[in-house]
Amino acid sequence: MPLRKLYLELTSRCNLDCSMCYRGTWSDAEADMAPGLYDSIKAQALGSPEPGTVVLGGIGEPSVSPLFADALESFGRRRLVVTSNGIGYGDGLVEAVARRADLFMVSIDGLEDTYRRVRGAALGEATATIVGVLEARRRAGIAGSNVGVQFVLSRDNAAEAEGVVELAASLRARLVVVSHILPQTPLQDASAMYGRVAPDDARRLFAALRSRAMRLGIALELPRLEPNTERRCAFIEDDAAVVTADGRVAPCYRLAHAYPEYVLGRRKDVLAHSFGDAATASLASIWAGRAYESFRRAIYANRYPSCIDCDLVDGCDLCRDTSSDCHSGQPSCADCPWSRGFTLCP
């Protein structure tokens, strides 16, 4: 299969310093994508029918990149998804997002006080951008909403989850995506609302969220509350790849950067893994590389171990990082919270 979905990280910089973001624990230097590299990727992506979907996101905030405005115009010819905090948008970017983005996902993790505590900014700045985008679509005669809201759930903001669903509906967002916090510290691990057995309070919260969303007529995506046998990698099934700001081609967000991760109380060091460098090789040749193809086949067929279910996990050195697994797979996806449905991305 060809590369059908491209996640493009225009920058790893951000205009906020959110308390739950794993930019706070990684070791990578901040980087902006070089214009020459960006032009090469753009030419390749637009020079063939695929990828049909482009996501402007990554770990940085795409709107702070000097390439963002061009990317909106250029990749608006494809299905274009933008993931953003919605802060700092001028009128020009608001108009461009309204016209070019098929889905504009804005992160809102609480109401006024909680939002400011988590993100260090005023909630009104993000909601003003949403209102501006939808008003610009109305003026341009574009039907429907292109706005979604992403909510990162933990015990610290769970009480405001229903309020955020109500806020999203009042802003005319078309969906809310709830994702569990990705724990990078023991404290964050303790605040996660999933476990080996789904917590009763989390079950009650999710039932309330489903009911509220149904009454409000807004689509809602919820993560799993406990691990089960089924594992699914959306990056693999969508035939997707991630190009980081420095040009490395990673198979997913999890392996795009290095950071510590806590899996049900156990620390694991996630190591950045690249199957090629877009600065020196074409995306097509990297995608068709033997190692990358073999990796995708193994993950798609679930031919990789599950550390969570293994009796030997407490004494196994392979569980300490993502370099390899006990089936000789490289890199290891055996603890991945995305495949377990704990972490969700557009």
Side-chain angles (χ1 to χ4, degrees), residues 21-328:
C21 179
Y22 58 94
R23 292 178 71 258
T25 59
W26 70 4
S27 56
D28 295 17
E30 291 185 341
D32 287 318
M33 182 169 285
L37 172 61
Y38 166 76
D39 288 341
S40 173
I41 293 171
K42 180 173 71 172
Q44 293 175 66
L46 298 179
S48 61
E50 298 290 354
T53 299
V54 175
V55 181
L56 301 180
I59 309 309
E61 166 54 43
S63 66
V64 306
S65 167
L67 303 170
F68 184 54
D70 183 84
L72 288 172
E73 292 299 329
S74 299
F75 292 112
R77 309 171 203 174
R78 302 294 168 88
R79 180 178 184 272
L80 180 62
V81 179
V82 177
T83 61
S84 175
N85 56 39
I87 301 295
Y89 277 66
D91 291 343
L93 288 183
V94 166
E95 291 284 343
V97 168
R99 289 184 296 104
R100 309 302 281 177
D102 295 280
L103 180 60
F104 181 48
M105 289 296 299
V106 180
S107 296
I108 298 179
D109 305 304
L111 303 178
E112 297 289 349
D113 292 342
T114 298
Y115 183 92
R116 184 176 293 278
R117 172 173 55 80
V118 170
R119 296 194 171 264
L123 175 60
E125 293 185 59
T127 57
T129 297
I130 292 173
V131 170
V133 166
L134 294 179
E135 175 59 22
R137 287 175 67 85
R138 185 195 65 78
R139 291 195 303 268
I142 304 173
S145 171
N146 68 339
V147 171
V149 168
Q150 178 102 32
F151 181 88
V152 177
L153 173 69
S154 73
R155 295 194 176 279
D156 296 332
N157 64 354
E160 297 186 0
E162 287 189 70
V164 170
V165 171
E166 291 181 351
L167 174 64
S170 72
L171 291 169
R172 295 194 297 120
R174 74 189 201 200
L175 83 159
V176 176
V177 177
V178 178
S179 178
H180 290 295
I181 190 171
L182 183 64
Q184 305 133 60
T185 67
L187 188 62
Q188 290 180 345
D189 190 46
S191 75
M193 294 194 71
Y194 60 86
R196 291 191 178 278
V197 177
D200 288 339
D201 58 345
R203 290 183 185 275
R204 290 192 294 271
L205 172 62
F206 279 23
L209 290 175
R210 291 188 187 97
S211 176
R212 185 65 56 94
M214 183 175 296
R215 290 200 300 272
L216 294 170
I218 187 169
L220 176 68
E221 295 181 20
L222 294 173
R224 291 178 183 166
L225 292 173
E226 60 188 12
N228 57 25
T229 302
E230 180 189 6
R231 293 182 295 176
R232 176 184 177 273
C233 177
F235 292 95
I236 297 296
E237 296 196 7
D238 290 347
D239 293 309
V242 178
V243 180
T244 64
D246 58 5
R248 290 175 290 113
V249 179
C252 60
Y253 273 162
R254 183 184 185 232
L255 296 169
H257 296 281
Y259 61 94
E261 175 183 277
Y262 280 78
V263 184
L264 300 177
R266 172 172 45 84
R267 176 177 169 133
K268 192 179 197 104
D269 290 325
V270 176
L271 308 178
H273 189 95
S274 168
F275 284 101
D277 186 349
T280 59
S282 69
L283 292 176
S285 66
I286 294 170
W287 181 257
R290 179 176 296 180
Y292 200 177
E293 281 194 338
S294 177
F295 171 81
R296 295 198 304 271
R297 284 197 302 269
I299 302 305
Y300 183 80
N302 263 281
R303 296 198 305 269
Y304 63 103
S306 172
C307 296
I308 290 176
D309 302 307
C310 181
D311 293 336
L312 305 176
V313 65
D314 292 331
C316 179
D317 287 342
L318 292 172
C319 296
R320 295 181 180 180
D321 62 37
T322 59
S323 57
S324 62
D325 62 38
C326 58
H327 290 186
S328 300

